[in-house]
Amino acid sequence: MSKPKRDRARSLVELLQRMQYQQSTVVPPTSTIDQLLNDAGSFGLYQKIQFLLVGILAVLPAMTAFNYVFIAATPDHRCQLPLTNFTDTFQVQSSEHQNYINQYIPSSARLRKCYLNDINSQDKKIIPCSKWVFDSTFYNTTISTDWNLICDRLHLKGITQNAYIMGTSGSFLTGIMSDRLGRRTTMYLLILVLVLVLNTTQLMMHSNLSHDAKLVIFTISRFLTGFAQTTYSITLVLLLEMTSATKRVLASNILSYFYTLGELFIMLIYYVTRDWSLTMWILTVYVMPFLCYYWCVPESARWLVSTGRLLEARKVLHRIANVNRRTLENSEKHLYDDLQRDAHIRPKRYSYIHVLISVIKSPVMRQRCLIIFYIMMTNLMVYLGIGMGITSLTNEHPYEIFLFSIFAEFFGLCLCHFCATKFGRKIPLISFFTLCSLSILAIPITHKHYPLISLSSALCAKLFISASQALSWLYTTETYPTVIRSTGVGLSVSIARLGGVWAPQISLLAQSVWFPLPYIIFSICSFIAAVFSIFLPETRTKTALPETIKQAEKSDNDDPSNHDASHEVQEGFRVQIEKLPISYEDTGSYTGLDDVPSSERMKSEEESTLTDIEQHDKIECLENYE
């Protein structure tokens, strides 16, 4: 091949490589279902009604998670006096009662909760007690008071919450169910499980079973309840699939705000009842109306199209258009011809095995994923540890403190939204973790002499960890490339549960070992997360999300100015890029264009061009030879 021909081939190859590099800024063509949703109204009255209905359902995960703060609370207590002719109470009844307390109860604040003085012993021995009296100022009954989950049985209380967190790890299974059975069907099955579990548990709690048997049943119930609460992620997907891309952030935020509202509801319920069993009955009754959601909340039209159930998808789209008072343009063509075509093609999908192999092979992605795993684990651990232990910092005003923590979480969500929009992702994430670490460290330092400052530090820690957790979800979504994004996010969430499982047990160390210990652990973990966040890339400055692992690896080297400088070149190649072929598997349903790697779209065009060049050169060589 002569030098001009080689230069021509090299120029074409460079041209194709430049097109491949810049294609990440090109918006893929709108699919049929997107066009139909836009025509029917992507965020009209219909979507607003569904957002309200699903939002009301989103309060359940918060109510079932944070009821642990109240129904498992440990009021101030001491050993019951071993007197047969005297009815002992925690509150001092008289001077005679006070003399008995001074005689039998050790002066040490720690020993008085679990031991009695052996007055018959000359060397002043202490013996463990088997009965206790509790302060009823703020809590009348809890599982701790009814089942004596204190002293050497304190760890059993943490196991009940561990069971709940382990149950939420079933999001992996419910995600598979959602893809196979549908969003609405899976959501309804989880609601049905929750109703059955809560009703059965309440009946068992009022039986003649022993306290230990009730504790076992309650722990199993918490596990199943946690599994049922994975409906939160299912409903989030349902909302995202029924609206346009511009409203998807709103859909996620609405569920977060309703979740915060659920924390307020459960606090008010227990504040009025002051009884853990009655609180659980109210929660059980509250769940019952959600059984009608199968007829109130429709199936996702996107999922119906992806599974080939076109008749049902058309009914849903017509219902959306009717409620929004819109008409479907070219409805015959879109609803029948185009949907029929989309239902028989789909891009290549990637399994968990493919995700793990891709992450392990890529050094850059392997490092980022490990950092993300640690960040997600730390977020959940600190969020649960601080959020559920904030009322135990003082024996006074637990409801007011919890209410302030709810407002702190709300402002944390607002702070995350503002900072992520204004300053990007990386710097706010580092700042949130650092400030959270400092706030947590100040809790034990100021707790003894400055309790008000200690409480303020705990509220600041709740604010910053709430902001960090919300930002981490966004950061995780933007870090993974499109080809493994949904699978990678699901894997990160599952691993994050490992941190949540440890949170209750670490929090109990303040009562069983040393008060500052859990806060030191939480502070160190948050600071390490801040340091690790430095090695993550900034994802806000990119004009488009990475589609392949190679693009994600190069994100650190991408200069935003390069995209601006190449805008004119990009416009010149836009037509050619949009014409590039996309490889599909004709083995199932269409699931969206985002999962098609850009490298696959460019591959056939590049190979075809190079083949034509080689064939043309061979013909010219033969002609010259002849």
Side-chain angles (χ1 to χ4, degrees):
M1 187 184 297
S2 61
K3 184 175 180 181
K5 295 175 183 177
R6 293 178 181 173
D7 294 340
R8 181 180 61 183
R10 187 182 299 108
S11 299
L12 286 173
V13 172
E14 291 175 353
L15 173 65
L16 290 172
Q17 291 176 345
R18 196 185 315 164
M19 291 165 59
Q20 180 178 356
Y21 173 78
Q22 295 173 357
Q23 65 83 37
S24 62
T25 62
V26 181
V27 179
T30 305
S31 64
T32 303
I33 187 64
D34 286 323
Q35 293 176 356
L36 288 169
L37 282 174
N38 289 331
D39 293 340
S42 60
F43 195 70
L45 178 61
Y46 180 89
Q47 281 82 4
K48 294 175 182 177
I49 294 174
Q50 297 304 320
F51 273 42
L52 177 62
L53 292 175
V54 175
I56 296 174
L57 178 63
V59 305
L60 283 179
M63 295 178 69
T64 54
F66 281 88
N67 65 3
Y68 174 84
V69 175
F70 301 103
I71 69 173
T74 304
D76 194 9
H77 58 280
R78 60 169 173 79
C79 293
Q80 184 176 339
L81 300 178
L83 301 175
T84 57
N85 59 347
F86 191 87
T87 302
D88 190 17
T89 59
F90 184 84
Q91 286 74 19
V92 179
Q93 303 175 17
S94 62
S95 58
E96 181 183 6
H97 188 199
Q98 184 64 56
N99 290 333
Y100 282 131
I101 294 176
N102 296 336
Q103 184 179 3
Y104 282 97
I105 304 301
S107 58
S108 171
R110 180 179 177 184
L111 294 178
R112 70 191 303 270
K113 295 179 182 294
C114 303
Y115 296 94
L116 286 169
N117 288 327
D118 187 0
I119 61 175
N120 297 322
S121 175
Q122 296 181 354
D123 52 356
K124 297 182 179 181
K125 291 183 178 180
I126 57 174
I127 56 176
C129 53
S130 58
K131 294 182 180 180
W132 293 263
V133 289
F134 297 89
D135 185 6
S136 59
T137 304
F138 302 107
Y139 308 97
N140 288 343
T141 63
T142 67
I143 63 173
S144 298
T145 61
D146 284 0
W147 301 338
N148 293 331
L149 302 182
I150 51 181
C151 296
D152 58 340
R153 290 167 56 89
L154 184 64
H155 65 283
L156 297 177
K157 186 180 76 169
I159 291 177
T160 61
Q161 187 64 2
N162 287 344
Y164 178 87
I165 298 172
M166 292 175 65
T168 59
S169 300
S171 56
F172 167 69
L173 178 59
T174 55
I176 297 176
M177 292 171 57
S178 175
D179 289 335
R180 296 290 180 87
L181 304 178
R183 295 18 172 159
R184 180 181 64 168
T185 303
T186 304
M187 177 190 72
Y188 190 77
L189 288 176
L190 293 175
I191 293 174
L192 188 61
V193 168
L194 185 61
V195 171
L196 293 175
V197 168
L198 290 179
N199 280 276
T200 303
T201 303
Q202 287 303 100
L203 293 176
M204 292 292 185
M205 294 299 103
H206 289 79
S207 64
N208 295 324
L209 296 173
S210 64
H211 291 338
D212 290 340
K214 290 182 179 179
L215 177 61
V216 172
I217 294 173
F218 183 80
T219 303
I220 296 174
S221 171
R222 291 292 289 174
F223 174 82
L224 296 176
T225 301
F227 177 78
Q229 292 317 307
T230 55
T231 182
Y232 183 90
S233 58
I234 305 300
T235 53
L236 175 60
V237 173
L238 184 61
L239 290 184
L240 295 180
E241 290 182 344
M242 70 170 58
T243 186
S244 62
T246 58
K247 300 297 182 181
R248 289 174 184 170
V249 175
L250 176 62
S252 178
N253 287 343
I254 281 179
L255 290 185
S256 298
Y257 295 141
F258 271 100
Y259 186 90
T260 306
L261 190 62
E263 299 178 37
L264 178 62
F265 283 168
I266 197 63
M267 185 207 72
L268 293 176
I269 291 173
Y270 190 87
Y271 178 79
V272 173
T273 62
R274 305 293 178 97
D275 185 286
W276 79 271
S277 181
L278 185 56
T279 299
M280 293 303 298
W281 270 119
I282 294 175
L283 179 60
T284 302
V285 173
Y286 177 83
V287 177
M288 300 294 287
F290 292 105
L291 290 174
C292 68
Y293 264 40
Y294 189 82
W295 296 273
C296 298
V297 179
E299 184 56 84
S300 167
R302 293 179 186 271
W303 180 83
L304 291 172
V305 172
S306 70
T307 55
R309 297 162 64 174
L310 302 183
L311 180 61
E312 298 177 52
R314 295 180 187 118
K315 290 181 180 179
V316 173
L317 291 169
H318 277 301
R319 188 187 309 171
I320 296 176
N322 291 335
V323 175
N324 291 339
R325 298 180 181 179
R326 301 282 292 272
T327 58
L328 297 176
E329 299 180 3
N330 300 322
S331 59
E332 293 295 328
K333 179 179 183 299
H334 288 325
L335 286 174
Y336 294 93
D337 298 340
D338 295 342
L339 280 185
Q340 188 72 32
R341 177 202 64 199
D342 290 353
H344 287 83
I345 58 175
R346 67 180 177 92
K348 187 177 181 180
R349 305 298 295 176
Y350 294 88
S351 64
Y352 273 84
I353 301 299
H354 183 277
V355 173
L356 293 175
I357 294 176
S358 301
V359 167
I360 292 173
K361 287 185 176 180
S362 170
V364 176
M365 287 302 300
R366 182 169 62 244
Q367 173 184 316
R368 291 180 190 172
C369 288
L370 291 175
I371 293 175
I372 289 174
F373 292 161
Y374 178 81
I375 286 176
M376 296 290 282
M377 289 173 57
T378 302
N379 268 320
L380 186 59
M381 179 180 65
V382 176
Y383 175 80
L384 294 177
I386 297 299
M388 295 186 176
I390 194 171
T391 56
S392 63
L393 291 175
T394 178
N395 294 326
E396 299 180 356
H397 312 295
Y399 304 102
E400 291 84 351
I401 294 173
F402 190 80
L403 180 62
F404 285 132
S405 73
I406 294 174
F407 285 117
E409 181 172 351
F410 175 79
F411 286 121
L413 296 174
C414 297
L415 179 65
C416 169
H417 184 81
F418 172 78
C419 292
T421 305
K422 192 77 174 177
F423 306 107
R425 317 287 191 252
K426 184 175 181 177
I427 300 301
L429 186 63
I430 297 173
S431 303
F432 292 154
F433 272 123
T434 303
L435 294 173
C436 178
S437 176
L438 296 175
S439 300
I440 295 174
L441 193 60
I443 296 174
I445 295 176
T446 59
H447 177 70
K448 186 175 181 179
H449 301 288
Y450 306 98
L452 184 60
I453 297 178
S454 178
L455 284 174
S456 301
S457 300
L459 293 174
C460 290
K462 179 71 179 296
L463 186 151
F464 292 126
I465 198 61
S466 299
S468 171
Q469 189 175 41
L471 185 57
S472 296
W473 280 93
L474 179 61
Y475 212 135
T476 302
T477 305
E478 294 178 339
T479 299
Y480 281 105
T482 299
V483 292
I484 60 172
R485 182 170 296 124
S486 60
T487 309
V489 171
L491 183 62
S492 300
V493 172
S494 298
I495 293 178
R497 303 300 179 187
L498 297 176
V501 169
W502 285 102
Q505 298 295 341
I506 294 176
S507 297
L508 291 176
L509 295 176
Q511 302 178 40
S512 60
V513 180
W514 185 40
F515 178 79
L517 183 57
Y519 300 102
I520 293 175
I521 295 175
F522 292 147
S523 178
I524 292 176
C525 291
S526 299
F527 181 76
I528 293 175
V531 174
F532 283 171
S533 300
I534 298 175
F535 300 97
L536 289 175
E538 175 58 66
T539 59
R540 176 177 177 264
T541 55
K542 294 190 292 184
T543 56
L545 296 177
E547 292 191 15
T548 63
I549 292 180
K550 289 185 177 180
Q551 290 182 5
E553 290 175 344
K554 295 179 180 179
S555 59
D556 281 335
N557 299 325
D558 287 346
D559 185 357
S561 61
N562 291 341
H563 297 290
D564 298 333
S566 61
H567 178 71
E568 295 181 0
V569 181
Q570 172 192 336
E571 292 297 328
F573 296 140
R574 184 177 297 274
V575 177
Q576 292 91 328
I577 296 174
E578 291 180 349
K579 292 182 180 180
L580 294 178
I582 302 176
S583 300
Y584 291 96
E585 290 180 347
D586 196 11
T587 59
S589 57
Y590 176 78
T591 56
L593 293 174
D594 287 342
D595 288 333
V596 182
S598 60
S599 58
E600 293 182 8
R601 282 186 274 176
M602 297 297 305
K603 186 176 180 181
S604 59
E605 181 75 13
E606 184 178 344
E607 291 178 350
S608 176
T609 305
L610 293 177
T611 302
D612 292 340
I613 294 174
E614 292 176 357
Q615 291 179 350
H616 182 72
D617 290 336
K618 288 181 179 179
I619 293 174
E620 289 187 352
C621 289
L622 289 174
E623 291 177 351
N624 294 334
Y625 178 78
E626 292 177 354

